[in-house]
Amino acid sequence: MTEAMAIRADERGGDVLSALARAGLEVRSDAATRGMYASDASLYRIPPMAVVRPRHVDDVALALAVARETGVPVTSRGAGTSVAGNAVGRGIVLDFSRHLNRVLSLDPEARIAVVEPGAVHAVLQKAAMAHGVRFGPDPSTHPRCTIGGMIGNNACGSRSLAYGRTSDNVAGLRLLTAAGDELVTGYDSAGAATHAGAVGVVDGVRAAMATGLATARTEFDRFGRQVSGYAVHHLLPERFDLTQALVGSEGTLGVITEATVRLVVDAPLRVVVVLGFDDIVAAGDASPAVVAHGPTSCEGLDSRLLDVLRARRGADAVPPLPRGRAWLFVEMTGEDRDELLERARRLADDGLGVDALVVEDPATQARLWRIREDGAGLAGRAPSDRPAWPGWEDAAVPPAMLGAYLARFDELVAGYGLTSAPFGHFGDGCMHVRLDLPLDRPDGAQVLRAFLTDAARLVGEFGGSLSGEHGDGRARSELLPHMYSAEAIALFGAVKHAFDPDNLLNPGVLVDPDPIDAEVRVIGVPPVRRGRQGLDLAFVYPHDDGDLAQAVHRCTGVGKCRADNTASGGVMCPSYLATREEKDSTRGRARVLQEVVRGELDWRAPEVHDALDLCLSCKGCASDCPTGIDMATYKAEVLHQSYRGRLRPRSHYSLGRLPLWARLAGWTPGLANLMMRLPLVGRLMLWVAGVDGRRSVPAFARRSFRRTFVGSDSTGTPVILFADSFSNSFDPEVAAATVRVLEAAGYAPRLPETQLCCGLTWISTGQLDAARRILGSTVRSLAPAARDGVLIVGIEPSCTAVLRHDALELVGDDDARVVADATRTLAELLAQTPGWQPPDLTGTTVVAQPHCHHHAVLGWSADRALLADTGADVRTLAGCCGLAGNFGVEIGHYDVSVAVAEQNLLPALDAAPEAVVLADGFSCRTQVSDLRERPSLHLAQLLDPAR
């Protein structure tokens, strides 16, 4: 863009913002918001002029009026999970997910629901299932995608064999045309298509179709997943079904303001048959024979995808599977268990693969489907361990040709020196994939264009569709001539012109498309490594080649952080669930940091710190985000770069250096506690420390643990007890209980010669030079024993997680690796102890709140198994407690901290007032005490033989 063009664009943007403000709309146009909405889940980055969040339909009409007045385009956006670039645009972006997100009505008798376009699929599903019905299509993004977005793409999901595409499940639409006219579509009592309003548009569409009847009758509707282009076959005179035609038009023909959708009755019983194959081609070849058995779903996965998952989350992340290097997950449903199992066994015994497994257990089924649902995110890391990108992620071919297509596609990928991990809706002939395209190379754009062009030619050769459910967007619209004739392309243009003659609605998509290699988000972004650009990065980012830019671009935009993941035991993202603001999601923050590494925003920009402010540093994203984003680490890096050598917030000096002050207070704990109890002095000290006055301050122990520990008399196996600063100075009884449990299990715990600190509070406040010194000293002290085979047992989960994970990222030397390998939680150590048995806690009800770092870094499976062996009735909570170390204590965070606690912790406590509360984390126990005045125990205290 020339300087003159940039000036004109700025002037035009100013006119648009002024007009939107005069219209009284809710508008966001700051640099961070524009950066957040510049991308969806695709390759592309197109910053909008403004983001409008309409509160009602009148706001949509006003925004369209401004667009017409100023000549600025409009793009509709739901959850922003489009992988084809359908939800980004240069003008006004309408975010329907913020306010226009209600289920307006639901009639279970008629099996109909009316929703606003921003209604989340999972919200509709929850409302419908309460009445024994459901919305049929279920894309993998169902916990966060919107119905409007599904209509825009004609989404399908894994159960389309039973329920069809979104177009098969929409009973009517209300939309506004670019001219501002309302068009209402639907069906009469006899099922005939109806429409009302926008007469000029409708007449124009009929006239456009009159020139392409033969094309519409011969080139379209050839197989179920032919989604690319406009569905012009529904505009034939013998059909003229505007509802079906508008579904899948990607926001280019109108702006949906309301949708009526059909609901279905789900069979009560489900069984999953897992079929193993020698390779993905064999799985594709077998899919038509599998579909002949009448399943609701037939999903394919390659071993390369599961290898990525195991590398990320360990071998236990994948439940037992039948032999093979590729699998089909086949779901069957029914009313009668015996009949359903007989059908499943017939499929398993049909000899279609090398092995088979029938899964009836709902929990195991859920684990299998979770792998499939996380496929797009998991595939964001290629088998080469390089970033993998969308762009060619959902092509479809007639199902009978899928195996042959997969074989040729693998050859094409190998010919370009790329790797991939295919998966997808094999029963429908649809394959999903991400590719490690070399977008960081100087010729990255050329390789992208060449590969996508060859891939399009290959799909055309098989009579397939460039898109099977995601739409064409910016990723594939330019390639449509490889699939359709020139007459079909001209027909698309004529239909578009009838609806939107001024090209205001989502331009660059489907008709007059943007180039597939233009405005690619990562192309041209320089590496951000130590020693480059004058930066001294604190963390080494070992999994991202030392490159912070690559790390923050792990976020592919799939938006799992916008969903409530607690039903599956997840933590991510507590701040988004509290505020429902994009900026408070992991994705929103990652997008802002992508703007930083691009040089569009400064480290110290207020917008950057605003986006990071409510990040609890819980590390939930490090495990729950399928792409492996670690926002806690990135936040610490930003704070480090922003405040290094500068005056910091007060809480950084107080809470960020708490172990130092705790050590000093340990000399006169009584005096320190007295000062905090004095009303005026205590409140003043809290304010000076940057602590919210509504918080209580934990008392310092009268005697620290180190002062009471005289050594162990046990002659058992030696272990190092890492008595962290919190256990030592505030809760020495937890450390003492840990000693008793270890001795009873046959261990001889001993302490390091001096009090060691992991530097956690320095890390969370971005004081990373000091943190590296502190943590480096600690790992050097622990490393000799670790090299001698002595295990290190942590007490506080967050500090244990620092030894296991952060030491590798911050110190990154051999000592850190040795210590990380030797570090265990108490439950992990006891689980590997021959002959040890937990106490019998039969009759005890336990509400367990795993610490977020325990969940995300260490894993809580050993604790879960141990508690199960005690016989206790355990309710394990998902989500974050809300305190999260220093976060919930700081001024400005109290309300969000409580809102996070209200998501899971507080309801569970209130529902079980007599239960034992188990919380290994010091901050979790503090939150329970602060908000409910209830005692809580560490695992060591629950297992303590002296209890």
Side-chain angles (χ1 to χ4, degrees):
M1 181 182 291
T2 66
E3 183 177 351
M5 291 172 63
I7 292 172
R8 285 195 296 272
D10 288 342
E11 291 173 347
R12 191 182 186 196
D15 292 342
V16 171
L17 294 177
S18 298
L20 293 172
R22 287 195 304 271
L25 298 172
E26 183 178 319
V27 183
R28 300 286 187 273
S29 60
D30 60 276
T33 298
R34 294 175 64 242
M36 283 182 248
Y37 285 82
S39 298
D40 44 21
S42 72
L43 281 173
Y44 302 98
R45 175 187 176 273
I46 301 176
M49 291 181 178
V51 175
V52 173
R53 309 198 300 188
R55 293 181 174 274
H56 41 73
V57 175
D58 290 346
D59 285 356
V60 180
L62 288 170
L64 283 170
V66 171
R68 290 192 300 275
E69 172 192 334
T70 59
V72 167
V74 173
T75 297
S76 298
R77 181 176 172 119
T81 55
S82 163
V83 291
N86 338 51
V88 293
R90 297 173 181 83
I92 299 168
V93 168
L94 297 177
D95 180 0
F96 286 97
S97 68
R98 179 59 178 164
H99 301 301
L100 286 177
N101 54 19
R102 296 173 299 167
V103 176
L104 298 174
S105 65
L106 194 150
D107 185 341
E109 298 298 325
R111 298 183 187 174
I112 289 291
V114 180
V115 301
E116 292 176 324
V120 173
H121 179 286
V123 174
L124 170 61
Q125 207 71 298
K126 182 177 181 180
M129 292 181 78
H131 299 280
V133 291
R134 61 167 285 161
F135 184 54
D138 60 343
S140 62
T141 55
H142 65 86
R144 64 270 190 194
C145 71
T146 64
I147 302 300
M150 292 179 65
I151 292 169
N153 292 352
N154 199 6
C156 301
S158 59
R159 294 180 175 88
S160 59
L161 290 174
Y163 304 125
R165 302 171 296 185
T166 296
S167 58
D168 301 313
N169 293 271
V170 175
L173 297 171
R174 281 184 185 271
L175 67 150
L176 294 175
T177 67
D181 299 322
E182 184 174 65
L183 175 61
V184 181
T185 76
Y187 302 90
D188 63 19
S189 58
T194 63
H195 58 269
V199 175
V201 168
V202 174
D203 289 345
V205 172
R206 290 186 186 276
M209 288 300 300
T211 65
L213 298 179
T215 299
R217 289 185 177 120
T218 57
E219 293 193 37
F220 295 84
D221 202 22
R222 293 177 291 105
F223 69 103
R225 286 298 185 104
Q226 185 180 351
V227 168
S228 281
Y230 290 136
V232 292
H233 52 290
H234 289 300
L235 297 175
L236 288 165
E238 59 267 29
R239 300 188 189 184
F240 207 74
D241 185 341
L242 282 170
T243 302
Q244 291 262 342
L246 286 163
V247 176
S249 58
E250 305 184 33
T252 63
L253 302 182
V255 178
I256 297 169
T257 58
E258 185 180 289
T260 302
V261 298
R262 299 186 180 94
L263 305 174
V264 297
V265 175
D266 222 358
L269 302 176
R270 296 183 179 186
V271 170
V272 174
V273 180
V274 185
L275 302 174
F277 298 87
D278 287 329
D279 55 40
I280 199 71
V281 173
D285 282 334
S287 295
V290 170
V291 172
H293 285 261
T296 57
S297 178
C298 176
E299 300 291 289
L301 287 93
D302 192 280
S303 62
R304 290 166 281 185
L305 187 71
L306 298 188
D307 290 343
V308 171
L309 177 59
R310 292 188 182 99
R312 282 269 325 279
R313 299 179 187 170
D316 292 340
V318 179
L321 296 174
R323 288 181 295 111
R325 296 293 296 165
W327 297 270
L328 292 178
F329 291 1
V330 185
E331 181 184 81
M332 293 180 157
T333 62
E335 304 279 343
D336 181 87
R337 179 174 178 271
D338 291 340
E339 185 272 338
L340 179 59
L341 287 175
E342 175 59 28
R343 286 174 55 207
R345 292 190 187 102
R346 282 201 302 269
L347 173 58
D349 295 341
D350 209 14
L352 296 176
V354 297
D355 199 4
L357 177 68
V358 176
V359 180
E360 192 177 5
D361 173 48
T364 304
Q365 291 180 23
R367 291 183 66 194
L368 292 171
W369 289 124
R370 201 170 304 132
I371 295 170
R372 171 59 191 85
E373 289 175 2
D374 282 347
L378 293 169
R381 209 69 186 174
S384 63
D385 199 32
R386 287 184 49 78
W389 306 104
W392 191 259
E393 79 290 323
D394 80 318
V397 297
M401 299 182 178
L402 179 61
Y405 169 71
L406 290 170
R408 292 280 301 280
F409 183 79
D410 261 354
E411 292 173 3
L412 177 65
V413 170
Y416 273 83
L418 307 176
T419 64
S420 67
F423 62 103
H425 313 298
F426 279 24
D428 287 304
C430 182
M431 179 196 71
H432 295 324
V433 74
R434 299 288 174 101
L435 297 157
D436 49 356
L437 293 157
L439 301 181
D440 55 338
R441 286 184 354 206
D443 64 341
Q446 293 95 307
V447 175
L448 172 66
R449 171 170 288 278
F451 179 86
L452 294 183
T453 302
D454 284 346
R457 291 190 183 112
L458 180 62
V459 162
E461 182 182 330
F462 279 86
S465 181
L466 308 184
S467 171
E469 64 178 342
H470 294 162
D472 297 305
R474 286 169 172 77
R476 289 175 286 275
S477 293
E478 187 190 357
L479 302 170
L480 287 172
H482 293 287
M483 176 181 169
Y484 290 119
S485 67
E487 291 77 13
I489 300 299
L491 185 57
F492 294 162
V495 170
K496 166 73 170 174
H497 184 77
F499 274 99
D500 180 21
D502 295 323
N503 200 24
L504 289 178
L505 301 180
N506 215 6
V509 172
L510 290 174
V511 174
D512 297 325
D514 284 354
I516 55 176
D517 53 355
E519 298 179 280
V520 175
R521 185 172 67 248
V522 296
I523 288 180
V525 178
V528 179
R529 296 191 177 97
R530 285 183 175 180
R532 291 181 64 101
Q533 303 170 335
L535 284 178
D536 182 15
L537 292 180
F539 291 102
V540 298
Y541 304 103
H543 303 294
D544 295 287
D545 196 26
D547 182 6
L548 177 61
Q550 186 179 133
V552 299
H553 277 96
R554 278 179 173 265
C555 177
T556 58
V558 294
K560 190 178 179 182
C561 49
R562 286 175 53 103
D564 183 349
N565 297 293
T566 55
S568 59
V571 169
M572 178 184 74
C573 177
S575 57
Y576 177 78
L577 294 179
T579 70
R580 301 290 174 172
E581 290 281 357
E582 176 74 14
K583 75 176 181 64
D584 297 322
S585 69
T586 307
R587 181 179 72 179
R589 294 178 178 118
R591 295 300 190 222
V592 171
L593 295 183
Q594 289 170 13
E595 295 295 293
V596 171
V597 299
R598 291 181 64 89
E600 300 289 340
L601 285 170
D602 186 76
W603 295 96
R604 302 177 65 197
E607 300 97 325
V608 175
H609 286 260
D610 182 48
L612 292 171
D613 179 51
L614 295 184
C615 172
L616 285 79
S617 297
C618 68
K619 283 190 178 288
C621 51
S623 63
D624 298 348
C625 174
T627 67
I629 282 284
D630 184 357
M631 193 53 63
T633 294
Y634 311 154
K635 177 180 180 178
E637 185 74 70
V638 170
L639 294 175
H640 170 70
Q641 299 295 337
S642 299
Y643 291 116
R644 193 179 190 191
R646 298 183 177 94
L647 189 67
R648 289 176 167 270
R650 300 194 304 275
S651 62
H652 288 199
Y653 298 106
S654 55
L655 301 172
R657 301 178 184 181
L658 185 58
L660 173 62
W661 308 129
R663 188 174 299 187
L664 294 175
W667 294 103
T668 56
L671 177 60
N673 292 333
L674 175 63
M675 296 291 288
M676 293 307 301
R677 287 197 300 268
L678 294 174
L680 292 177
V681 175
R683 282 199 295 271
L684 177 62
M685 292 179 69
L686 288 178
W687 182 84
V688 170
V691 174
D692 192 291
R694 290 167 286 185
R695 285 292 181 188
S696 64
V697 177
F700 293 102
R702 293 179 60 189
R703 297 186 68 193
S704 70
F705 173 68
R706 289 191 70 90
R707 292 190 178 187
T708 60
F709 182 70
V710 294
S712 174
D713 294 330
S714 173
T715 58
T717 304
V719 292
I720 299 292
L721 181 63
F722 185 71
D724 56 273
S725 300
F726 301 100
S727 302
N728 184 57
S729 299
F730 293 99
D731 219 341
E733 177 50 35
V734 170
T738 305
V739 169
R740 291 191 289 271
V741 171
L742 289 172
E743 289 179 335
Y747 292 97
R750 57 185 175 91
L751 296 180
E753 293 183 4
T754 60
Q755 177 62 32
L756 300 179
C757 179
C758 68
L760 172 66
T761 59
W762 282 269
I763 294 172
S764 63
T765 52
Q767 303 178 74
L768 298 183
D769 290 331
R772 188 186 299 109
R773 290 194 300 271
I774 294 166
L775 182 53
S777 175
T778 294
V779 297
R780 283 193 297 274
S781 297
L782 295 173
R787 284 194 172 90
D788 289 339
V790 179
L791 296 179
I792 301 161
V793 185
I795 301 173
E796 167 63 33
S798 56
C799 298
T800 309
V802 171
L803 298 183
R804 181 84 66 85
H805 173 76
D806 295 84
L808 300 173
E809 296 268 349
L810 190 58
V811 180
D813 59 14
D814 287 340
D815 286 345
R817 284 184 281 275
V818 168
V819 168
D821 290 342
T823 298
R824 301 288 187 275
T825 67
L826 178 61
E828 288 171 340
L829 182 67
L830 294 175
Q832 68 182 59
T833 302
W836 182 82
Q837 292 293 324
D840 185 354
L841 299 178
T842 302
T844 301
T845 300
V846 176
V847 173
Q849 171 69 63
H851 190 284
C852 295
H853 292 192
H854 203 152
H855 161 85
V857 177
L858 306 168
W860 208 71
S861 57
D863 299 71
R864 190 187 310 277
L866 187 156
L867 290 170
D869 289 343
T870 67
D873 179 14
V874 180
R875 179 185 175 188
T876 303
L877 305 184
C880 179
C881 77
L883 192 65
N886 57 290
F887 173 84
V889 178
E890 293 175 337
I891 292 173
H893 293 165
Y894 180 83
D895 291 336
V896 170
S897 174
V898 174
V900 172
E902 289 172 342
Q903 293 165 12
N904 296 284
L905 174 61
L906 297 186
L909 295 179
D910 295 342
E914 304 301 322
V916 173
V917 181
L918 178 65
D920 282 5
F922 179 74
S923 60
C924 303
R925 297 195 296 275
T926 301
Q927 183 81 316
V928 171
S929 176
D930 251 17
L931 301 184
R932 286 298 182 267
E933 297 183 352
R934 281 179 67 172
S936 51
L937 302 178
H938 186 281
L939 178 64
Q941 294 172 299
L942 186 67
L943 303 177
D944 188 355
R947 180 171 179 261

